[in-house]
Amino acid sequence: MRLSPPVPLLLGLLLLQGVLRPLRGDLVFIPSVIRMSGSVVSASLVGGTEDVTVSLTQLRDEMGLLPVPTCGELNNETGDWSLTVTPTVNSLEVTVRLKRDMQSCSSNGTDPFLEAPCIVQALLVSAFHNTSCLAHLLIHVEIYANSSLGQNASENVTVVPNQVYQPLGPCPCNLTAGACDIRCCCDQECSSDLTALFRESCFPGVFGGDVNPPFDQLCSIQMSHGVPDWFPFLCVQLANSPFLGYFYHGSISSGHQVSFGIYLHTDLKDFSDFGYKQGDPVMTVDKAYFTIPQVSLAGQCLYNAPVAFLQNFDVQCVTSLEEYLERDGITSAKIKNGAMGGIVTPKVIYEEATDLDRFITNTETLLSTGPAPRNVNVEEHYIFRWNNNTISEINVRIIRAEINAQQKGIMTQRFTVKFLSYNSGNKQEWSGNPGYQLGKPVRALSTNGTNNVTTLHLWYPAGGSLCSTATRKPILFGENVLSGCLLEVGINENCTKLRENAVELLDSLVQVTHVAMRGNSDYNDLSDGWLEIIRVDALGAGADPPDSNVSGICLDVPAQLNIRILFSDAGAVEGMTQQEILGVETRFSSVTWQFQCGLTCEDKADLFPIGASVQFIKIPAQLPHPLTRFQINFTEYDCNRNEVCWPQLLYPLTQYYRGEPYSQCVAKSLLLVSFIILAVFLSNPWIRIHKA
């Protein structure tokens, strides 16, 4: 039985009678219409929920029309459906569940997928007071047989290949064997008719199967089109996946375990006893990686990512408090220091978090205290002291927060790792020697003696992204960044005060007067390559313009701080290009702020966004060479204007290729030429000439 045509009729009838709009403007279901394809759906009833009763009714098709329901009868169970109402803050959480076992919807073994839906019904959730209808929620149920929502996961282990050399699969969202996964458009088990239902809502990116976008030079793409005869010799064979190497290195798939160590595959070797090299994983005495959560190229948080020697990082991981698992004690970890038999034990210091709103959002108010509170780690900072190719000391600072054992919400964790020299002490770390290294902080100082700030900063928003709770992070050399925060402003805000607050917040990011030209400039010697920052002041924060005397409107409010840093190549040390800063300029951009009103302008705080941008501009150390007459006249040979770059046909022999030594490139090129000459002499034309 199909109910698709009557459902719009019922919705139109309800709209005409005004039952879907909240009476007195204070009660409404969000959302008011749901298309249900699983066994559970939820909605929120917001507004004045005092003395409100909620009931569930199954609408039946009679002569092609759905009847208008009546209110006043309490009914929380209707046939195969049940209704649950959970009170929350100023709202009611309404949940409708299917009581019937989803296995009854499964098809037989010979019919792996049914085109027709298994369950097609229309449900109506009504909120009423006495006999007066206040709001309605219409649910259109359409559940298909053998869908991924109705399958039971197998408890058997799955044999997978070594993920270092072979990715898990071309379709990562295909999670259910023998069934169609909803919203997974690369699932070959989904028919074309079923895929058309959710084609507009497919999983995007890598998880949806978009791993290797095709391009013209790919051999598999061009084989089906008209291509020249020589194309098979120049096409590209590509087998790549961003998931390569990010899976468990074993013969079976295992459950997710949060730990400071992940055990190695038996084929891998541990050479940490002979000293670490840059990029080598830090090892424990149990022949395992020392792991700290990190963010992969695909954006997901990897909780078992190994720490690489001499590689710093600063990442954030977002997790649900319901899924949070406490990691093993760092105090018991024993890490190899890089010498034969050497062990180093981390020194841990615990601190208590002062502002939970910076780390935990979307929290729910608990009516009862429940069990004893628990501690969660919101920040973990690791400092490794290194000496040559060994680790001499590990200091860990963990910031904990005490929450309710049943607390729900989203927690943002921060993990930092920094490698410092054993004799650096408390001195400021260099950002290069002598030139800057990419990713190192821009060194700065203040000559007025009012603070000890040593770098430029940007906002690091957390929680509600408010400027009052946002922390700061240093500006890193070579990284163009845009950050910002939200400033709370009222409708009757004084424009002069608003400008002063905005300027004060933006100036707090640049509390220095000079920037180091090189990465090793001496803080105690101002003549050792220190450049004064060029500041273009904001507009005067004097009296408001005559046309801004309207409440909720302010002209020329500084909203953006633009930091431009000029740098160039200043030579080379042992073949490595050295880069230095030539100048820094800060400039304000102003906007006209206007209070955003809804249906009515209420005296509530509005959010005014302010931001800061950093742009690194490379200045050539010398003027570029002028174009030759050949380059001006024959533009078809210009690599910047054409897809085919003929001058790079012999790219390995040019000065721009640095993959191998020049002598090896020449030797391999001569060997290739000899093979070509040999192939030409052995070809058919030469054989026929020889016979003639």
Side-chain angles (χ1 to χ4, degrees), residues 132-382:
S132 301
C133 295
L134 303 180
H136 287 274
L137 167 65
L138 179 62
I139 303 175
H140 181 202
V141 183
E142 189 171 300
I143 300 178
Y144 283 80
N146 202 21
S147 67
S148 58
L149 298 175
Q151 297 296 313
N152 288 333
S154 174
E155 297 296 335
N156 299 328
V157 294
T158 303
V159 178
V160 295
N162 192 340
Q163 299 306 305
V164 175
Y165 310 105
Q166 182 176 353
L168 188 61
C171 187
C173 60
N174 184 9
L175 304 178
T176 308
C180 174
D181 291 274
I182 305 300
R183 296 184 62 193
C184 185
C185 293
C186 60
D187 192 348
Q188 299 298 324
E189 295 158 343
C190 297
S191 65
S192 58
D193 294 337
L194 184 62
T195 306
L197 297 176
F198 52 82
R199 184 172 298 279
E200 300 299 330
S201 302
C202 297
F203 289 116
V206 176
F207 187 73
D210 188 14
V211 177
N212 295 317
F215 53 94
D216 296 339
Q217 289 76 24
L218 200 61
C219 297
S220 59
I221 298 298
Q222 293 289 352
M223 292 302 293
S224 59
H225 301 80
V227 294
D229 297 336
W230 46 263
F231 180 80
F233 297 98
L234 299 179
C235 65
V236 178
Q237 291 284 359
L238 181 62
N240 186 28
S241 172
F243 291 107
L244 203 63
Y246 280 124
F247 288 90
Y248 178 71
H249 301 296
S251 59
I252 60 174
S253 60
S254 63
H256 177 68
Q257 297 180 355
V258 181
S259 168
F260 278 92
I262 177 173
Y263 288 90
L264 302 178
H265 191 264
T266 55
D267 295 338
L268 300 181
K269 304 299 181 182
D270 178 15
F271 298 102
S272 59
D273 291 334
F274 303 97
Y276 290 105
K277 295 184 297 182
Q278 184 175 7
D280 287 349
V282 178
M283 309 296 299
T284 66
V285 295
D286 299 325
K287 197 179 180 182
Y289 289 142
F290 180 72
T291 63
I292 296 175
Q294 301 176 43
V295 177
S296 69
L297 296 177
Q300 75 270 28
C301 196
L302 306 175
Y303 289 91
N304 287 329
V307 177
F309 185 66
L310 296 182
Q311 290 187 1
N312 304 337
F313 62 84
D314 186 348
V315 300
Q316 281 186 329
C317 290
V318 179
T319 183
S320 173
L321 288 176
E322 296 176 319
E323 301 175 358
Y324 173 79
L325 296 176
E326 187 70 25
R327 286 156 41 96
D328 294 341
I330 180 62
T331 56
S332 60
K334 296 182 179 180
I335 301 171
K336 293 185 177 181
N337 66 353
M340 184 67 69
I343 298 175
V344 57
T345 302
K347 302 176 182 178
V348 184
I349 298 177
Y350 291 95
E351 298 180 3
E352 296 296 330
T354 56
D355 188 5
L356 291 183
D357 293 336
R358 290 174 47 199
F359 309 103
I360 302 177
T361 58
N362 297 335
T363 58
E364 296 183 6
T365 303
L366 301 177
L367 300 179
S368 60
T369 57
R374 60 169 177 162
N375 290 323
V376 294
N377 296 344
V378 294
E379 289 188 7
E380 297 181 10
H381 304 276
Y382 298 81

Side-chain angles (χ1 to χ4, degrees), residues 429-678:
E429 183 185 7
W430 285 354
S431 296
N433 187 22
Y436 274 98
Q437 295 182 7
L438 292 178
K440 291 291 186 177
V442 175
R443 295 161 60 87
L445 62 81
S446 177
T447 58
N448 52 25
T450 57
N451 56 64
N452 56 355
V453 179
T454 58
T455 185
L456 306 176
H457 290 92
L458 288 176
W459 282 299
Y460 203 80
S465 298
L466 297 178
C467 297
S468 58
T469 60
T471 57
R472 295 181 178 88
K473 63 178 181 180
I475 294 178
L476 304 181
F477 182 80
E479 296 185 4
N480 297 332
V481 186
L482 177 65
S483 70
C485 61
L486 300 176
L487 179 63
E488 292 182 322
V489 185
I491 188 174
N492 297 319
E493 187 77 18
N494 182 273
C495 293
T496 303
K497 185 65 175 178
L498 177 59
R499 294 191 189 96
E500 294 176 353
N501 292 339
V503 172
E504 181 180 357
L505 286 172
L506 295 174
D507 280 340
S508 65
L509 301 177
V510 186
Q511 302 181 24
V512 294
T513 58
H514 291 73
V515 170
M517 177 184 296
R518 298 180 298 273
N520 63 347
S521 298
D522 188 2
Y523 278 100
N524 299 321
D525 186 3
L526 194 61
S527 62
D528 187 19
W530 290 94
L531 304 172
E532 187 174 359
I533 298 177
I534 302 174
R535 298 176 183 266
V536 180
D537 295 333
L539 297 177
D544 297 338
D547 57 347
S548 65
N549 294 327
V550 181
S551 297
I553 298 179
C554 293
L555 304 178
D556 297 330
V557 179
Q560 182 77 20
L561 174 64
N562 303 308
I563 303 175
R564 296 192 296 179
I565 301 177
L566 305 181
F567 72 99
S568 67
D569 296 337
V573 176
E574 297 181 358
M576 300 297 296
T577 303
Q578 303 296 312
Q579 296 177 329
E580 64 180 22
I581 294 178
L582 302 180
V584 179
E585 180 196 69
T586 62
R587 183 184 297 269
F588 292 95
S589 298
S590 302
V591 298
T592 298
W593 169 78
Q594 181 176 359
F595 188 85
Q596 300 297 326
C597 298
L599 297 178
T600 59
C601 281
E602 301 179 359
D603 190 10
K604 295 183 179 179
D606 187 23
L607 298 179
F608 174 57
I610 60 176
S613 65
V614 178
Q615 183 182 11
F616 284 85
I617 304 174
K618 186 174 183 179
I619 304 299
Q622 57 185 3
L623 294 177
H625 296 288
L627 296 178
T628 62
R629 183 182 305 172
F630 177 83
Q631 294 174 330
I632 296 176
N633 296 332
F634 299 93
T635 57
E636 63 270 17
Y637 297 101
D638 190 350
C639 296
N640 297 326
R641 302 184 184 181
N642 302 279
E643 295 182 357
V644 179
C645 183
W646 292 107
Q648 292 186 1
L649 181 62
L650 301 178
Y651 176 71
L653 297 178
T654 63
Q655 58 179 347
Y656 303 103
Y657 180 71
R658 299 181 180 180
E660 295 176 300
Y662 184 74
S663 58
Q664 294 186 13
C665 294
V666 174
K668 293 179 180 179
S669 301
L670 294 177
L671 183 62
L672 180 61
V673 170
S674 63
F675 284 152
I676 294 176
I677 296 175
L678 180 62

Side-chain angles (χ1 to χ4, degrees), residues 40-43 56 82-86 93-97 125 139:
V40 180
V41 293
S42 298
L56 175 65
S82 64
L83 175 68
T84 304
V85 180
T86 304
E93 187 75 16
V94 179
T95 304
V96 177
R97 287 186 174 85
V125 180
I139 303 175

